[in-house]
């Protein structure tokens, strides 16, 4: 399952703001802003979201980042090494590949 994480800290940092400056700009309690920046805020009301977005000059959706499902992370790298020739994977898995294996490939083939 994909995870959602706050991007508020990065957006505030781009403006040179810490928790106090963001809290003042958004007219929010500094403790609330600190909890959001630290990723401890689990329930944030729509008014707070609107204030943060307005203060940072972004749409509400820009306050979050969607991280891919870790179980499907391999999809980003799938095919990056190009097409395998017929039988190449079998050679690698059997340990009879004549070339030195790429360290990344060796790590990927290790059992968890």
């Amino acid at each position: 399952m994909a995870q959602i994480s706050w991007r508020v800290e990065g957006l505030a940092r781009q403006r040179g703001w810490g928790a106090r400056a963001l809290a003042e700009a958004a007219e929010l309690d500094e403790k609330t802003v600190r909890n959001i920046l630290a990723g401890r805020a689990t329930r944030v009301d729509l008014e707070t979201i609107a204030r943060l977005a307005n203060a940072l000059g972004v749409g509400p959706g820009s306050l979050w980042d969607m991280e891919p499902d870790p179980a499907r992370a391999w999809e980003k790298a799938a095919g990056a090494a190009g097409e395998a020739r017929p039988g190449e994977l079998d050679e690698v898995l059997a340990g009879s590949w004549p070339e030195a294996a790429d360290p990344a490939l060796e790590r990927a083939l290790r059992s968890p």
Side-chain angles (χ1 to χ4, degrees):
M1 178 175 202
Q3 295 181 337
I4 298 173
S5 61
W6 285 101
R7 292 187 57 228
V8 177
E9 183 178 21
L11 293 168
R13 199 175 327 124
Q14 287 175 356
R15 287 159 182 75
W17 293 351
R20 178 175 292 152
L22 178 56
E24 288 174 5
E27 298 179 2
L28 293 169
D29 179 67
E30 188 174 340
K31 183 178 178 184
T32 299
V33 172
R34 285 190 189 284
N35 285 333
I36 290 169
L37 295 178
R40 290 188 302 263
T42 56
R43 295 178 187 242
V44 179
D45 63 41
L46 294 175
E47 177 68 25
T48 299
I49 292 168
R51 287 175 182 238
L52 287 169
N54 188 46
L56 293 166
V58 298
S62 296
L63 299 178
W64 294 279
D65 193 16
M66 189 94 155
E67 298 173 14
D69 182 353
R72 300 180 63 101
W74 62 271
E75 291 178 343
K76 287 177 72 175
E83 292 283 326
R85 61 178 167 71
E88 185 175 18
L89 183 58
D90 293 330
E91 289 175 14
V92 171
L93 293 174
S96 60
W97 198 26
E99 302 173 35
D102 180 330
L105 178 60
E106 287 180 8
R107 284 192 305 276
L109 294 174
R110 287 187 197 137
S111 297

